[in-house]
């Protein structure tokens, strides 16, 4: 089914942010893919940062890393997981990128003689970037999610650009979906549609009439609420869909499909429709919900108050758990509490079956993590360390097993006598902090006979990265002779995976395998970790 022209679906949000636009967009993409079209998705973030790399995960949630090393918004993670595709850094467009390139062009003289303005220069740049992603990806359908909420000042140039795209691409090639919150008012036991109505009015004021409404609510929409939304939003009743709270986000495509959304959108965009086979997806949800066993995992990190900081890791565990038909109960351990002596690692670990040492940056909480690592290692429970997690596992081992007092990472203590974790050589020359880490997919050569080699079942693997520091190669012989061996090497010859020899599962990695985990294709290392816990 080769299409003559690309179809664009623009998703806007109303009433509140974090209302589930990302999951709605990803779900829709998954459904359109299931009827045989190739789909890509773009996230527009109207902030001035060039990318998400310099933002605190505690405020903004996880930084999602793409194959090509983009530090992007966490919605790209939803898209990759639902669509089962690898996206590029170009699939995340920010105000920062747009202005940066327009200003560079102005300095070069590209607009000589003109007054450079938001319309048309900024809007042209936005449109050309969206079209470039369409072209590069070769996708039949491009979903474009506009971050933030309709009415935000920052979002206006993007809304104006997509408004223009409707005229340029044609009605049958474009579709506007507005996702907005419909709160339930306890006092009157009613779903209130007024805030949604206002956000649609705001959208129309800008010149965009939505074609479809997705109402987010904690319960299914009543027919009455649906009728009201249709009337006030000026859309047909059958174009109003209810995206209500479900147990897992992976159910969202199914509830939308059941209401006829796939068929409606296909018709509206002149796409061929046939009933899709969603049985594998259904089977995955079935396994997620109907489990044989439950295990507890200590999640040791310092951004634990905002779970979105670790969303890809949580999802990777979920994919592995579904595969094994177990429930992973996550026990969050705030490392700064352990560091300050407010929580005892002994007590924490007594109640769990395994521990995951989360990634992170900087000094705060590091000593707390090290205390938990020591206790976990001594207890012999399965441990998985991700990036900073591996680095601190090495610090703990150097101090407490090898006896190198005050061993540390130079990230935490620049004047440590034993820098077992140190800045990578190439990083020493780098000055700026934006986009300068070792990023994206890099090959890892696994060591024959190691546990990690058995887990992946192949010699060379590719995982994504985001770090500045490495396990100092000078200490590798010492670490190995005491039992912490290297099971994977980078091309630059620093340890990418390390494992404790005489242990069922004590593995750390410099990489972030969670970014490649998909519902139907769990990450091998996460799968092995959950399996080790389940068998334990
Ligand atoms: N702070 C460490 C580094 O830069 C680890 C980073 C991470 O956990 N992603 O190497």
């Amino acid at each position: 089914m080769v299409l003559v022209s690309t179809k664009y679906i623009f998703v806007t949000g109303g009433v509140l942010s974090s209302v589930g636009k990302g999951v709605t967009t990803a779900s829709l993409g998954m459904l359109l893919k299931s009827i045989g079209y190739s789909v890509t998705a773009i996230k527009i973030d109207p902030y001035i940062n060039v990318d998400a790399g310099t933002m605190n995960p505690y405020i903004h949630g996880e930084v999602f890393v793409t194959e090509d090393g983009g530090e992007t918004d966490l919605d790209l993670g939803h898209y990759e997981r639902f669509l089962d595709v690898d996206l590029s850094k170009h699939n995340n467009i920010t105000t920062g990128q747009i202005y940066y390139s327009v200003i560079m062009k102005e300095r070069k003289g590209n607009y000589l003689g003109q007054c450079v303005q938001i319309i048309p220069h900024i809007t042209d740049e936005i449109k050309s970037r969206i079209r470039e992603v369409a072209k590069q990806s070769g996708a039949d359908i491009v979903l474009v999610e506009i971050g933030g909420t309709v009415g935000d000042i920052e979002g206006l140039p993007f809304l104006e650009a997509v408004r223009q795209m409707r005229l340029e691409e044609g009605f049958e090639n474009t579709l506007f979906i507005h996702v907005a919150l419909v709160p339930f008012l306890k006092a009157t036991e009613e779903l209130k549609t007024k805030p949604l109505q206002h956000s649609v009015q705001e959208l129309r004021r800008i010149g965009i009439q939505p074609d479809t409404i997705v109402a987010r609510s904690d319960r299914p929409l009543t027919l009455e609420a649906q009728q009201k939304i249709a009337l006030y939003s000026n859309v047909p009743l059958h174009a109003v869909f209810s995206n209500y709270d479900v147990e897992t986000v992976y159910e969202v495509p199914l509830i939308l499909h059941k209401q006829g959304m796939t068929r409606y959108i296909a018709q509206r965009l002149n796409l061929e429709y046939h009933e899709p086979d969603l049985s594998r997806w259904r089977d995955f949800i079935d396994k997620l919900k109907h489990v044989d066993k439950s295990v507890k995992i200590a999640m040791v990190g310092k951004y634990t108050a905002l779970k979105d900081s670790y969303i890809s890791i949580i999802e990777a565990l979920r994919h592995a758990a579904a595969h094994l038909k177990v429930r992973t109960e996550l026990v969050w351990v705030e490392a700064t509490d352990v560091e300050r002596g407010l929580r005892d690692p002994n007590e924490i670990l007594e109640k769990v079956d395994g521990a995951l040492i989360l990634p992170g940056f900087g000094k705060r909480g590091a000593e707390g993590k090290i205390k938990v690592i020591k206790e976990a290692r001594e207890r012999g429970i399965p441990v998985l360390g991700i990036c900073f997690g591996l680095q601190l596992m090495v610090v703990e081992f150097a101090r407490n097993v090898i006896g190198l007092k005050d061993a540390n990472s130079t990230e935490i203590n620049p004047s440590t006598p034993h820098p077992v974790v140190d800045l990578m050589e190439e990083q020493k020359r780098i000055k700026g902090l934006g986009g300068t880490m070792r990023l994206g997919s890099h090959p890892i050569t696994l060591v024959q006979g190691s546990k990690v080699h058995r887990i992946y079942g192949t010699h060379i693997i590719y995982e994504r990265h985001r770090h500045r520091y490495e396990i100092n190669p000078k200490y590798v012989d010492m670490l190995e002779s005491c039992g912490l061996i290297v099971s994977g090497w980078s091309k630059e010859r620093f340890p990418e995976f390390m494992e404790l020899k005489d242990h069922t599962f004590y593995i750390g990695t410099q990489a972030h395998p969670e970014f490649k985990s998909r519902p139907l294709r769990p990450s091998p290392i996460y799968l092995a970790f959950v399996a080790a816990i389940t068998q334990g």
Side-chain angles (χ1 to χ4, degrees):
M1 277 179 278
V2 182
L3 295 176
V4 186
S5 35
T6 313
K7 309 285 180 183
Y8 292 94
I9 300 178
F10 303 109
V11 183
T12 54
V15 183
L16 291 181
S17 61
S18 307
V19 79
K21 261 192 331 274
V23 171
T24 306
T25 307
S27 300
L28 193 55
M30 178 270 191
L31 291 170
L32 293 167
K33 191 177 168 187
S34 77
I35 59 166
Y37 291 94
S38 61
V39 182
T40 193
I42 298 174
K43 174 71 191 292
I44 288 179
D45 281 306
Y47 45 64
I48 311 223
N49 304 57
V50 169
D51 60 39
T54 51
M55 272 187 283
N56 189 343
Y58 197 64
I59 299 163
H60 211 79
E62 164 190 282
V63 175
F64 185 80
V65 181
T66 53
E67 283 289 295
D68 59 357
E71 296 177 281
T72 69
D73 184 78
L74 58 80
D75 277 324
L76 267 80
H78 290 309
Y79 305 160
E80 286 206 353
R81 288 186 285 270
F82 281 70
L83 288 168
D84 198 7
V85 289
D86 288 336
L87 300 175
S88 144
K89 57 178 141 195
H90 302 297
N91 289 58
N92 193 186
I93 301 173
T94 71
T95 295
Q97 289 167 21
I98 301 292
Y99 275 81
Y100 193 85
S101 62
V102 169
I103 292 169
M104 294 309 259
K105 284 181 192 165
E106 187 274 336
R107 290 291 79 187
K108 272 204 266 163
N110 290 16
Y111 308 112
L112 224 48
Q114 296 176 41
C115 168
V116 182
Q117 293 179 303
I118 293 183
I119 305 173
H121 302 97
I122 293 293
T123 46
D124 280 353
E125 182 70 25
I126 295 168
K127 290 186 291 183
S128 96
R129 284 192 177 225
I130 293 173
R131 290 188 174 117
E132 190 57 27
V133 173
K135 196 167 135 207
Q136 292 301 330
S137 67
D140 300 323
I141 302 166
V142 182
L143 289 147
V144 183
E145 177 190 348
I146 299 162
T149 311
V150 169
D152 296 344
I153 290 177
E154 296 93 338
L156 284 172
F158 293 103
L159 292 172
E160 169 59 19
V162 299
R163 184 195 66 76
Q164 294 171 17
M165 278 186 79
R166 146 112 346 142
L167 278 181
E168 293 163 4
E169 301 289 331
F171 181 77
E172 70 290 352
N173 297 324
T174 51
L175 182 92
F176 285 97
I177 300 182
H178 189 58
V179 184
L181 182 76
V182 174
F184 181 77
L185 208 64
K186 263 211 187 112
T188 54
E189 300 251 316
E190 249 185 315
L191 281 163
K192 303 300 276 184
T193 63
K194 186 73 84 190
L196 182 146
Q197 293 172 29
H198 279 291
S199 76
V200 172
Q201 270 167 28
E202 187 63 30
L203 204 51
R204 281 157 59 181
R205 208 173 57 80
I206 303 165
I208 295 172
Q209 163 64 52
D211 304 289
T212 309
I213 303 285
V214 174
R216 270 290 291 127
S217 49
D218 66 349
R219 62 203 69 208
L221 278 186
T222 55
L223 181 62
E224 196 194 345
Q226 198 184 356
Q227 283 166 336
K228 232 184 202 170
I229 291 170
L231 179 66
Y232 284 94
S233 311
N234 194 28
V235 302
L237 188 65
H238 64 270
V240 178
F241 299 94
S242 173
N243 180 356
Y244 50 90
D245 285 359
V246 274
E247 226 176 288
T248 92
V249 291
Y250 298 110
E251 285 172 78
V252 174
L254 299 183
I255 64 169
L256 294 176
H257 181 68
K258 210 168 153 191
Q259 296 168 57
M261 192 169 187
T262 325
R263 182 190 291 271
Y264 165 78
I265 290 182
Q267 274 168 356
R268 171 60 183 73
L269 290 174
N270 268 336
L271 300 170
E272 263 176 51
Y273 181 81
H274 58 85
E275 198 49 37
D277 176 11
L278 300 172
S279 57
R280 287 187 69 210
W281 195 266
R282 282 208 176 89
D283 184 49
F284 160 69
I285 290 166
D286 226 46
K287 284 199 215 141
L288 258 183
K289 286 179 147 181
H290 305 109
V291 295
D292 299 331
K293 193 176 173 180
S294 181
V295 292
K296 287 198 174 80
I297 305 177
M299 301 285 281
V300 191
K302 70 164 174 180
Y303 314 111
T304 55
L306 183 73
K307 307 296 181 276
D308 268 359
S309 312
Y310 305 113
I311 186 161
S312 290
I313 293 180
I314 298 172
E315 296 306 323
L317 289 171
R318 198 167 280 159
H319 305 157
H323 205 80
L324 297 162
K325 290 195 85 181
V326 294
R327 171 166 296 123
T328 46
E329 214 181 294
L330 307 183
V331 180
W332 294 92
V333 179
E334 178 53 49
T336 43
D337 288 348
V338 179
E339 189 163 278
R340 281 185 283 155
L342 300 175
R343 291 195 71 189
D344 175 16
N346 211 341
E347 267 171 39
I348 296 166
L349 294 175
E350 222 164 53
K351 299 190 192 89
V352 299
D353 307 295
L356 200 151
I357 317 300
L358 294 159
F361 293 84
K363 193 171 169 170
R364 191 175 65 83
E367 287 302 325
K369 284 189 185 172
I370 292 170
K371 278 189 195 165
V372 181
I373 293 168
K374 176 172 187 288
E375 186 63 35
R377 181 179 53 75
E378 288 173 353
R379 278 177 180 267
I381 59 171
V383 176
L384 175 63
I386 302 295
C387 205
F388 201 38
L390 162 73
Q391 295 173 359
L392 296 181
M393 281 158 83
V394 168
V395 170
E396 187 280 323
F397 194 83
R399 285 185 194 172
N400 301 322
V401 179
I402 308 182
L404 299 175
K405 206 167 156 286
D406 298 324
N408 218 330
S409 162
T410 51
E411 180 178 2
I412 302 164
N413 176 9
S415 51
T416 169
H418 306 292
V420 290
V421 179
D422 201 6
L423 201 59
M424 282 180 280
E425 218 29 63
E426 67 197 54
Q427 286 286 329
K428 292 183 179 158
R429 294 183 293 272
I430 288 169
K431 295 243 153 44
L433 290 183
T436 54
M437 281 189 242
R438 179 172 179 263
L439 292 164
S441 179
H442 292 278
I444 301 172
T445 308
L446 299 182
V447 176
Q448 203 91 36
S450 66
K451 284 194 198 83
V452 177
H453 183 252
R454 260 202 311 282
I455 289 166
Y456 279 90
T458 163
H459 195 48
I460 298 195
I461 60 163
Y462 286 81
E463 293 287 9
R464 301 185 194 169
H465 295 77
R466 183 171 186 250
H467 64 123
R468 288 185 207 283
Y469 292 81
E470 64 181 6
I471 307 302
N472 191 338
K474 288 185 200 129
Y475 286 87
V476 165
D477 283 349
M478 211 188 279
L479 291 162
E480 287 205 315
S481 66
C482 291
L484 188 61
I485 60 161
V486 179
S487 36
W489 292 97
S490 71
K491 236 173 38 206
E492 303 88 337
R493 283 303 281 183
F494 64 75
E496 283 270 17
F497 277 92
M498 296 192 80
E499 62 187 54
L500 207 50
K501 241 185 180 160
D502 304 312
H503 194 293
T504 48
F505 196 106
Y506 193 86
I507 297 174
T509 174
Q510 194 55 77
H512 289 270
E514 62 273 13
F515 293 134
K516 284 176 73 170
S517 184
R518 307 278 161 85
L520 308 181
R521 282 191 295 127
S523 154
I525 196 80
Y526 279 88
L527 187 61
F529 174 55
V530 178
I533 295 174
T534 311
Q535 284 146 19

